[in-house]
Amino acid sequence: EGVLCSDCKDDIPVLKKREFPNPAGDSLGRIFSAFEYERGIRKAVHNLKFNDRPGNAAALIELALPRIKQFLFEGQSPCAKASKYDIIVPVPIHFRRKQQRGYNQSELLARSLAKPAEITFCPKVLTKSLNTPPQSTLGRGERLKNLKGAFAVKQAEPIAGKRILLVDDVMTTGSTLEHCARVMKEAGAVQVDAFVVAVRRKFHFE
């Protein structure tokens, strides 16, 4: 953050509230986010996903971490270093989309967050077997139907009995996070919370 110019700093829409309940179901617990999906953050995420800027993942995590760190560790002391989570899991994308893009942006974000958050990175827990249309192109009801059966647990052993932090780039309705959390809870996870870099302005927290 020390290398950002003043214009970029002014273009970062930081959320005042950074912990939210899950609006899409009861499998996912709390949701943490640092930014609103607008202005500079929107541009950075868009470039990460669509303009071959994988380095933006580390930059976004570096900006977000100081703002969400309190939610990742036990206790409120600055010296508290015990993580609340056992493993960190990225939301998967279909292999064809990953081939086209060259990477999974959520995997890059989760990898960048894992080390400073002191959480074991487990990128192969989940798989997306259906190449569904992007959630951003669909209405609320269509989003829920779109993801039915799309996600599955590929490796159950790492998540059995574990507290999991699920990571994605942007949340609109929470349906993607909820579907991922549901299959992990069914596979034995005891807790699934989520971190997303940004939430959309039109998102209604209930």
Side-chain angles (χ1 to χ4, degrees):
E1 191 165 8
V3 300
L4 286 178
C5 68
S6 58
D7 287 344
C8 286
K9 284 183 179 179
D10 293 340
D11 208 30
I12 296 175
V14 178
L15 290 168
K16 293 182 180 179
K17 179 182 177 183
R18 296 167 195 170
E19 178 181 354
F20 309 100
N22 172 25
D26 55 11
S27 299
L28 182 70
R30 297 174 298 168
I31 301 165
F32 312 120
S33 186
F35 307 110
E36 187 177 15
Y37 188 57
E38 295 293 335
R39 308 198 315 265
I41 294 297
R42 185 186 185 103
K43 182 178 179 180
V45 172
H46 182 88
N47 285 335
L48 168 64
K49 294 174 72 171
F50 304 114
N51 291 332
D52 194 26
R53 299 285 182 85
N56 280 12
L60 286 164
I61 292 299
E62 186 174 347
L63 286 171
L65 187 59
R67 298 174 169 94
I68 54 99
K69 197 170 185 178
Q70 60 180 306
F71 304 114
L72 303 181
F73 295 98
E74 300 285 1
Q76 300 300 317
S77 166
C79 299
K81 296 297 284 184
S83 175
K84 292 181 181 179
Y85 302 99
D86 301 306
I87 64 172
I88 189 167
V89 175
V91 169
I93 60 177
H94 192 267
F95 78 93
R96 285 183 181 153
R97 191 163 295 172
K98 188 174 183 179
Q99 283 180 331
Q100 293 170 350
R101 189 171 295 165
Y103 52 84
N104 173 5
Q105 72 280 356
S106 297
E107 188 174 319
L108 296 181
L109 291 166
R111 187 188 299 274
S112 296
L113 181 59
K115 186 174 181 179
E118 300 182 3
I119 310 174
T120 301
F121 177 53
C122 294
K124 297 181 180 180
V125 164
L126 291 174
T127 184
K128 189 175 184 184
S129 55
L130 300 179
N131 193 13
T132 56
Q135 290 288 89
S136 59
T137 65
L138 304 173
R140 186 180 181 91
E142 292 176 311
R143 287 189 179 104
L144 296 174
K145 296 177 182 178
N146 182 46
L147 295 175
K148 188 174 181 180
F151 299 103
V153 171
K154 185 177 181 180
Q155 295 181 352
E157 185 177 348
I159 67 175
K162 297 293 181 21
R163 302 166 301 168
I164 298 171
L165 183 66
L166 184 65
V167 174
D168 205 3
D169 52 0
V170 180
M171 179 177 65
T172 302
T173 65
S175 56
T176 296
L177 299 172
E178 172 63 19
H179 278 77
C180 289
R182 184 179 303 162
V183 295
M184 288 194 289
K185 291 290 281 291
E186 290 172 351
V190 297
Q191 176 186 351
V192 183
D193 292 338
F195 162 71
V196 294
V197 171
V199 294
R200 289 182 181 271
R201 177 172 290 178
K202 293 182 179 180
F203 185 83
H204 295 289
F205 301 107
E206 300 173 359

